[in-house]
Amino acid sequence: MECQQYDTLPAVHRDHEGKAAQSEQKFCYKASQIGVAFRDINVYGYGSRTNYQRTFNTYPLAYVERLVGFINHKPKQQTHILRDVEGIARGGEVVLVLGRPGAGCTSLLKTLSGQRHGFQLDDSSSINYQGIRSDTMHTFLRGTCVYQAEFDVHYPLLTVRETLRFAARARPMQFSNSRTSWIQSGTANDVVEAIVRPLGLTKALDTKMGNALVQGVSGGERKRASIAEILAGNSSLQCWDNSTRGLDSANALEFVREIRRRAKEHGSAAIVSLYQASEDSYQMFDRVLLLYKGQQIFFGPVDAASDYFTTLGFVRPDRCTTADFLTSLTNPKARIVRKGEEFRGPRTSDDFAKIWKNSLERAALLDEIHTYEREYPLRSDRSPQRLPRSPYLVSFTRQIQLCLARNYRGLRNEPSGPISAITGNVVISFILGSMFYNLPDNTDSFFGRGAVIFFMVLLNSTMGALEGVALWDQRPVIEKHYRYAFYRPVAEAAASMLCDLPNKIVLVILFNVPFYFIANLRRTASAFMTFCLFAFMVLLTGSMFWRALGAVSRTLSESIAPGSVFGVLLIIYTGFVLPIQYMHPWLRWFGYINHVSYAFESLMINESMEMLILPLVFSTATRIDGGIMFALMVIYCTLYLLATEYISLQPSRGEVLLFRGRPSRPPARGDEEAEGADSAHDESDATSTVKDGLKHERCHSATFIWDNLSYEGASGAGKTTLLNVLADRASTGVIGGTKLVDIQDQGESFSRRVGYAQQEDLHLSSSTVREALHFSALLRQPNSHSRHEKLAYAEHLIDLLGMNAFADAVVGQPGEGLNIEQRKRLTIGVELAAKPDLLLFLDEPTSGMDSDTAWSICNLLQKLARNGQAILCTIHQPSGVLLQMFDKLLILSEGQSLYFGDVGFHGETMIGYFERHGAPKCGAEANPAEWILDLVGKYPDVQGALDWAKSWGESEERSTIRQEIQNLEADIMRVPVSKSRSGNSKYATSWLNQLFLVTVRIMQHDWRTPSYLWAKVLSIMGMALVNGFSFWKAPNTLQGIQNQLVVARFTENRTLYELRERPSRTYSWTVFILSNVLAEIPSHTILAVLTFLLWYYPLGTWRNALELGQLNERAGLTFLLVWSFLVFTQTFPQMVMTIMPDVPTGINIANLLYLFCLLFCGVLVSPSSLPRFWIFLYRATPLSYYINALMSTALAGVPITCAPNELVAFSPPINETCGSYLATYLEASQANLLNPSAQDVCNVCPYKETNAVLGLYGIEFEQRWRNWGITVAYNVINVLLAMLLYWMVRVPKGAKMKMQKSV
């Protein structure tokens, strides 16, 4: 059976119609050819390519400026990004795009793939997708043309197999005799296996994708999985943006080879940008396009590019790959001009572009483009016979099925979240039921039944509060899949709701049933079923409410403030906390849309049915309440689905440099890869001064050897693992063998005296480049250097690394701020700022850089090494020029050594070893690194089946190395122990200095993250106002919102500390805990002032203090209590989060523990009514002391005036006054008789003053200051517990050593 060729558009249309048929057993597919021709591409952005960093005080001004600009219609500054770019990629062709960062490669790929946020495409530009217009391609055919970004975003809980199988099923391939709109499981597995085999992912198929918090595949494997996801998605035109970043030469070559194979076999087209393309990879492409500062300077066959530029007078160096040669032409510092033609050839980007426009090659290109346009004229009609109704290849129902199955797999892979939530709520259920154990069946239990029902309804409604927060973890992946046309966002939203249904059903049963019977609520079948129904409905309605709130917000911070205010309104305007007759009209309206109030009313009627006079009337009211709740649930659900479909995340502004304050210099030109790229690349002169900058202080030369080293644990090839083991950063696994370093350099100071530039560029997002270097220098250089010397050295590094152009730029987040190259320079600079006097470890420092930048980085490392700095470096995709810059080479494969020794000139020593042991000859023009990786590669199509690990183990070269190691061991053992000149302390500076510097940095980070502080300010102010104008109940919801804010920020700081700053011994873990506490206290103090003013005075309790002549004392104590409580809302979640694995789990546990505090604080159930078993929790609960002190300060000693509906009225005996009749009673009670001389009706107020009411709850005015002191003590206890728990759980105790670790 031969493969039939299907036309793409009708096939898509047929799939959407859902004409499914069973697929044949034979896997056979061939897509229609599709390509693209583009000309006159002019892309520009508005505004400066630099911006200023917003802080807490400038954050509102940004909106004011935007409004003023909109009103005044002020024209925006236009910045050119691409100018007059043209080219063609026919079906079956692969086009390479070359250029340095800032040249426009990313912008071109995004333009062709329709990802044009942040810039505009000129109307005169023409893009022809084989007769299809650009707007049609990116709407009706979205997913046919896709863009793969440099950054990888995946569901971390899914395995690689599950991720790729989902892509294969979401965009299925078409089969030879089938119109099926979906493929069977076995076929999807075949697709996955066929894709991952050439990418080397077979062994990682059943490993989780992972992310920064979830352990999973390595960074290189995750990158390859992103590539495989695109390939499995059945797209016809692919734009790959530096997709080989993080891959070694062999994997990069296999990626290009696979792209070419699929293009030739399937008729698809691929446009690929690469920064370090090997010669073998380069020759895989059909055409090449070269960009220089946004202008095109060449487009044509790959074989013609080098000759085109050599005829212009440029020289191609020996052993220089064609891609490196072409890229170097756009760098004035790197290109070589033929002798005698220095002043005749092009020099600027405009010169190159002018020559290109007048060239014969460009004329031939225009002829081909015009021929293509005549062959495929743009169609203006949108006939349903030609266009599908949807860009998706599977039906909407099938999309829901796929997303539902994916979500269930994620729960199966990591069920801890639902299990912890269910377990915690079951515990709460039993405790709540025991607090109201066996309520009597009379009116005496009416308040108790109301309290337990209110708490149940409230908890059921707020169980879904975290669902709105959890949406933010998934939205980046959902939006990526939307661009790939895998499924509609609304389909994933529907699947998410369906996936949570079983969990919600279990929650309703396990949470509501235990306390229902323990509390002795109405025990009839109808009452119980009604209770469960309403509990389930309020749970679903609350879930839809919180999901809708999260979906309508474009950032997480936008949802925090309204969520907190709505949470307070849900509680207050239920009818239990504040009776309906006491609700103020300006907020009474919320009660009509409050689903909690309808559920509470219905369940109170259901519970009191047997005591009601008109049960039929109230039964009808229950049905009406249920109908209104159902309608609200439908409204919230509809809003959630619509918002999910049409409201996207707030997109980044591109990699725009952000400066502190407004930049004074004019904006640079370029695209979103970076600005200041030219300045950043002009470091070749700066690096030449490294010896001058360091000659006055020669690096300390340490002898460092390892022998028979082994490690049992997760690893790939073993490069990063080796560095972690050697640098004492392996906290898990079992290490065997011997590591030796000079005796005087051993001890706890070893980790801080080595530099380690990690593969991930981890930095504080709000710091500037200069501040990051200063921070590292001040904390990691020993005290033997003065502060001035440390800062001066950091400034010298800015010059050394060519970072002057962006020294005052903010690091930002990936995709907004520093670009990849600038971040890598900063990572290296931060480690150099520590002045590592022993060793410098670098894990893939050139990953993601172009060839010129990679050469400059390696040149810098070489100069440091010549100055005495010992350097261990892993590197990906080294060219022949880069390889010979290293002195020795260690080759690893799956954790085994294949070679260790000298590289030699042009790799001759290394090549000679392998050729002597049976390897084929290495060609004169071949890249030795690629030749080696091909030789020892693990792919089926690579020749060379020799066991290189065994050959190395039996070689004479290894015996020589072993003998040298033994000699060095003997020399080290003979060195007398001497005091290290930099000290043997674990940290370089004093503990107090660490605390000061880290605290200041965190406070700056908070100030420069306005969304965090403004979310806190607006949420607390909103809650204070609502409570102040309603009545006191603020703690019930304030802690919940603080949990979300504080836990998220604490986790962000903890991640940075544990991944980068703790391994390098920058500062102590005790400093980390205390600094996070101290940094929050100033902001909480200011918030306490705002809360006090907005709540205390509108509430009116100050009048009580004024009447008693105690305004100053009572107002001051109230403020101190508010301040102490706000500090508690910070220290409590921080204490909980110290040992939690992730943010959702931390918020769940913090909320659960806070519920315990709320249950036993004495408000819901008075201490006298609590079962004696629980009285110890009342005394141990921090909220008890807050409530006692606050209530006594606000209300003690105040006379009570009863309202008419609160008076007890009765008639005295005939001929007796009320005063004489009640004389004995009034002496023994706290009641107040309003009319003692009356003889017809006696009006009695049950209480004369507030002390009697407070006494029922065990509140005493005399203990107010003691209680405040206890609240302060609880904050101290939280901090101490945080330190203890962190030490017990998260402070690494070191990997287990099977043998000697060091001598």
Side-chain angles (χ1 to χ4, degrees), residues 483-505:
R483 294 191 296 269
Y484 292 173
F486 284 178
Y487 52 83
R488 291 182 177 274
V490 68
E492 203 286 330
S496 175
M497 293 187 297
L498 294 174
C499 184
D500 282 343
L501 269 181
N503 179 41
K504 288 181 169 58
I505 294 174

Side-chain angles (χ1 to χ4, degrees), residues 979-995:
K979 184 177 180 180
S980 173
R981 59 193 180 119
S982 62
N984 288 321
S985 60
K986 193 173 185 178
Y987 303 98
T989 60
S990 66
W991 186 87
L992 288 177
N993 188 47
Q994 297 173 37
L995 182 63

Side-chain angles (χ1 to χ4, degrees), residues 510-626:
L510 296 184
F511 173 71
N512 294 283
V513 171
F515 84 78
Y516 185 92
F517 291 102
I518 294 175
N520 191 32
L521 298 183
R522 188 176 166 214
R523 296 188 178 180
T524 64
S526 60
F528 176 72
M529 295 304 297
T530 302
F531 181 90
C532 291
L533 176 62
F534 274 90
F536 186 61
M537 286 187 62
V538 76
L539 177 62
L540 291 180
T541 307
S543 173
M544 294 300 102
F545 173 81
W546 296 111
R547 282 174 176 262
L549 184 63
V552 297
S553 306
R554 303 191 71 183
T555 62
L556 179 59
S557 58
E558 289 180 3
S559 64
I560 295 295
S564 62
V565 175
F566 276 116
V568 175
L569 293 172
L570 287 176
I571 294 172
I572 294 179
Y573 291 90
T574 300
F576 175 78
V577 174
L578 184 64
I580 295 177
Q581 61 269 27
Y582 291 99
M583 294 180 181
H584 297 290
W586 52 80
L587 289 175
R588 175 67 182 92
W589 59 269
F590 189 81
Y592 297 109
I593 61 172
N594 186 356
H595 58 278
V596 177
S597 65
Y598 292 109
F600 176 72
E601 180 183 50
S602 299
L603 291 181
M604 284 299 297
I605 294 174
N606 177 68
E607 186 62 25
S608 309
M609 188 69 69
E610 296 178 351
M611 296 179 283
L612 296 175
I613 300 175
L614 299 174
L616 180 60
V617 175
F618 288 102
S619 176
T620 303
T622 301
R623 290 195 291 270
I624 294 175
D625 288 341

Side-chain angles (χ1 to χ4, degrees), residues 548-802:
L549 184 63
V552 297
S553 306
R554 303 191 71 183
T555 62
L556 179 59
S557 58
E558 289 180 3
S559 64
I560 295 295
S564 62
V565 175
F566 276 116
V568 175
L569 293 172
L570 287 176
I571 294 172
I572 294 179
Y573 291 90
T574 300
F576 175 78
V577 174
L578 184 64
I580 295 177
Q581 61 269 27
Y582 291 99
M583 294 180 181
H584 297 290
W586 52 80
L587 289 175
R588 175 67 182 92
W589 59 269
F590 189 81
Y592 297 109
I593 61 172
N594 186 356
H595 58 278
V596 177
S597 65
Y598 292 109
F600 176 72
E601 180 183 50
S602 299
L603 291 181
M604 284 299 297
I605 294 174
N606 177 68
E607 186 62 25
S608 309
M609 188 69 69
E610 296 178 351
M611 296 179 283
L612 296 175
I613 300 175
L614 299 174
L616 180 60
V617 175
F618 288 102
S619 176
T620 303
T622 301
R623 290 195 291 270
I624 294 175
D625 288 341
I628 295 175
M629 284 183 62
F630 182 79
L632 288 174
M633 180 179 66
V634 172
I635 292 173
Y636 295 148
C637 180
T638 303
L639 179 61
Y640 165 57
L641 296 177
L642 291 176
T644 302
E645 180 74 9
Y646 296 108
I647 299 180
S648 61
L649 287 174
Q650 180 174 325
S652 69
R653 290 172 283 181
E655 290 178 346
V656 179
L657 286 181
L658 303 176
F659 289 89
R660 287 192 57 199
R662 298 181 182 274
S664 58
R665 53 186 173 275
R669 178 185 62 194
D671 74 341
E672 64 183 19
E673 283 101 326
E675 293 318 312
D678 293 329
S679 300
H681 283 74
D682 292 341
E683 78 297 322
S684 55
D685 290 339
T687 54
S688 65
T689 65
V690 65
K691 290 185 178 180
D692 296 333
L694 298 177
K695 63 183 179 181
H696 64 280
E697 183 175 351
R698 186 166 181 82
C699 299
H700 172 57
S701 179
T703 301
F704 186 54
I705 60 177
W706 61 92
D707 188 22
N708 288 326
L709 196 65
S710 65
Y711 174 78
E712 297 176 15
S715 179
K719 300 182 297 296
T720 301
T721 303
L722 175 63
L723 294 188
N724 288 335
V725 172
L726 295 179
D728 279 349
R729 293 191 173 209
S731 58
T732 60
V734 180
I735 300 174
T738 304
K739 293 189 300 179
L740 297 98
V741 69
D742 290 355
I743 289 180
Q744 65 268 28
D745 297 321
Q746 294 178 18
E748 292 186 335
S749 65
F750 176 79
S751 294
R752 71 168 172 83
R753 295 174 58 199
V754 299
Y756 193 115
Q758 294 176 286
Q759 192 174 148
E760 300 84 6
D761 301 314
L762 300 173
H763 303 282
L764 194 66
S765 60
S766 62
S767 294
T768 66
V769 171
R770 177 172 277 108
E771 288 171 344
L773 295 175
H774 286 182
F775 184 80
S776 178
L778 291 173
L779 281 177
R780 297 178 62 183
Q781 290 188 25
N783 289 327
S784 57
H785 301 286
S786 67
R787 177 183 176 88
H788 175 74
E789 291 174 338
K790 295 178 181 180
L791 297 181
Y793 185 76
E795 293 296 325
H796 170 68
L797 287 176
I798 293 176
D799 292 331
L800 189 68
L801 295 173

Side-chain angles (χ1 to χ4, degrees), residues 277-289:
S278 66
E279 190 63 30
D280 290 340
S281 297
Y282 178 83
Q283 294 300 330
M284 290 284 180
F285 292 92
D286 299 293
R287 308 173 192 251
V288 60
L289 187 154

